[in-house]
Amino acid sequence: MLRKLTSIILTVALAVGLSACGAKESSNANAGGAASADAGKVTLKFATDASYAPMESMDKDKIVGFDVDFLDAVMKEAGYDYKLDNTGWDPLFADLGSGNHKYDGGISSISITDERKQSFDFSIPYFESVNMILTKEDKPVKDALELKGKKVAVQGGTTAEILMKGIMGDNNPNLKRFDSNTLALMELESNGVDAVVADFAVVQSYVQSNPDKKLNAIYDRTNFASEYYGILFPKGTDETVKSDIDAAVEKVRASDAYKEIYKKWIGVEPDTSNLVTAK
């Protein structure tokens, strides 16, 4: 899901000495890290936007998806208890960008970008993604440049929006922004747009789930480069916490558990050759 480079530049008033995430001490409960019942552990609180299947979505009242299973594996490896809440996309960034943040981190297919690094910290990358173009079979395109004169749907605040703004123009009325990929895909179904641009995990999952809809999905690696997801933290996160999580991410992404999670949610075996060298 090459998910999400928010196009809204968050103006965050980062106070001097942002509250740090709790270190692995049961007595430290600041920045949302409340002490757990298990002595010696801290509970870290994470936010997500559970509207991005198969990476994160709601199954009745339960958050499920690749990121959910991956976070669970990382927290177990790092030795932390944790809590995951569905907050929505914009509230996630607003909270972690504030000086009085309720959450210790966010995991929601968040692309690591230079712009975001100015306001937030990231874990090392845990997922490689790239945007895809989805059309109906009777309206195929060869690449993203062919979308210039067409109606295109994207989820607002994602890298798909940024990419298509660069191709179509920021104020192009044919670039339709939606609150979720689900709504963007529904617009394609109803012929309101000619194409949807979204992360490959989202597009592949949708195509696989709808074999009767006669869809056409293509990669355009010339115009859509690879992106890498990371766990998002408030700027100035406690180095011990970040170091613990980075070490756990590195270990989990090299494990058989990562392959199993990837196959379960993405449907194919992962190729991590680029991922392990990404910054």
Side-chain angles (χ1 to χ4, degrees):
M1 195 278 343
L2 307 205
R3 190 162 175 180
K4 295 181 173 178
L5 170 61
T6 182
S7 62
I8 301 174
I9 301 176
L10 297 172
T11 305
V12 291
L14 294 174
V16 176
L18 289 178
S19 301
C21 294
K24 291 171 72 176
E25 306 244 352
S26 60
S27 61
N28 189 342
N30 61 1
S36 73
D38 187 356
K41 282 190 177 182
V42 118
T43 299
L44 299 180
K45 296 179 68 177
F46 291 88
T48 192
D49 173 21
S51 63
Y52 213 75
M55 300 303 287
E56 43 266 324
S57 62
M58 296 301 300
D59 181 3
K60 296 180 181 178
D61 61 347
K62 184 179 180 182
I63 307 172
V64 299
F66 178 95
D67 281 348
V68 180
D69 287 356
F70 177 76
L71 179 65
D72 185 68
V74 167
M75 290 298 101
K76 287 176 179 176
E77 179 64 36
Y80 290 97
D81 287 333
Y82 73 98
K83 187 175 185 296
L84 180 65
D85 290 339
N86 179 24
T87 64
W89 183 247
D90 289 337
L92 183 161
F93 284 92
D95 178 84
L96 293 174
S98 73
N100 187 28
H101 46 89
K102 175 182 176 182
Y103 293 95
D104 300 291
I107 184 165
S108 198
S109 307
I110 303 170
S111 296
I112 301 170
T113 68
D114 290 338
E115 179 186 7
R116 287 178 178 157
K117 285 180 179 179
Q118 295 177 20
S119 302
F120 303 93
D121 290 337
F122 279 95
S123 71
I124 62 173
Y126 70 84
F127 192 93
E128 180 185 7
S129 189
V130 66
N131 278 287
M132 292 186 76
I133 302 166
L134 181 68
T135 66
K136 292 190 174 181
E137 278 187 355
D138 59 347
K139 295 182 179 179
V141 296
K142 294 179 181 178
D143 57 38
L145 299 182
E146 286 194 17
L147 297 174
K148 282 185 178 181
K150 299 183 182 297
K151 292 181 180 179
V152 180
V154 296
Q155 178 175 333
T158 66
T159 49
E161 180 187 7
I162 297 299
L163 290 166
M164 293 315 301
K165 280 166 57 178
I167 291 171
M168 299 177 66
D170 193 358
N171 299 314
N172 191 323
N174 287 329
L175 179 57
K176 311 292 186 180
R177 286 91 161 173
F178 293 87
D179 290 337
S180 70
N181 278 315
T182 299
L183 294 174
L185 292 164
M186 288 173 63
E187 191 73 0
L188 178 65
E189 284 185 20
S190 64
N191 295 311
V193 293
D194 301 302
V196 170
V197 176
D199 291 352
F200 88 96
V202 173
V203 172
Q204 286 187 336
S205 175
Y206 182 75
V207 171
Q208 290 171 2
S209 300
N210 297 278
D212 59 327
K213 292 190 183 295
K214 296 182 179 180
L215 300 165
N216 184 56
I218 67 163
Y219 286 101
D220 179 358
R221 293 188 179 275
T222 299
N223 294 292
F224 297 163
S226 287
E227 304 166 18
Y228 298 92
Y229 301 161
I231 299 173
L232 189 77
F233 300 107
K235 199 70 173 176
T237 288
D238 183 276
E239 283 299 323
T240 300
V241 172
K242 187 175 181 309
S243 177
D244 287 344
I245 291 178
D246 278 346
V249 169
E250 184 174 22
K251 189 165 184 178
V252 170
R253 73 184 184 186
S255 68
D256 288 338
Y258 185 87
K259 294 177 182 177
E260 292 170 4
I261 295 169
Y262 200 101
K263 185 68 179 294
K264 173 184 176 182
W265 292 105
I266 311 303
V268 296
E269 292 285 341
D271 178 356
T272 59
S273 54
N274 293 330
L275 179 63
V276 296
T277 60
K279 303 269 185 174

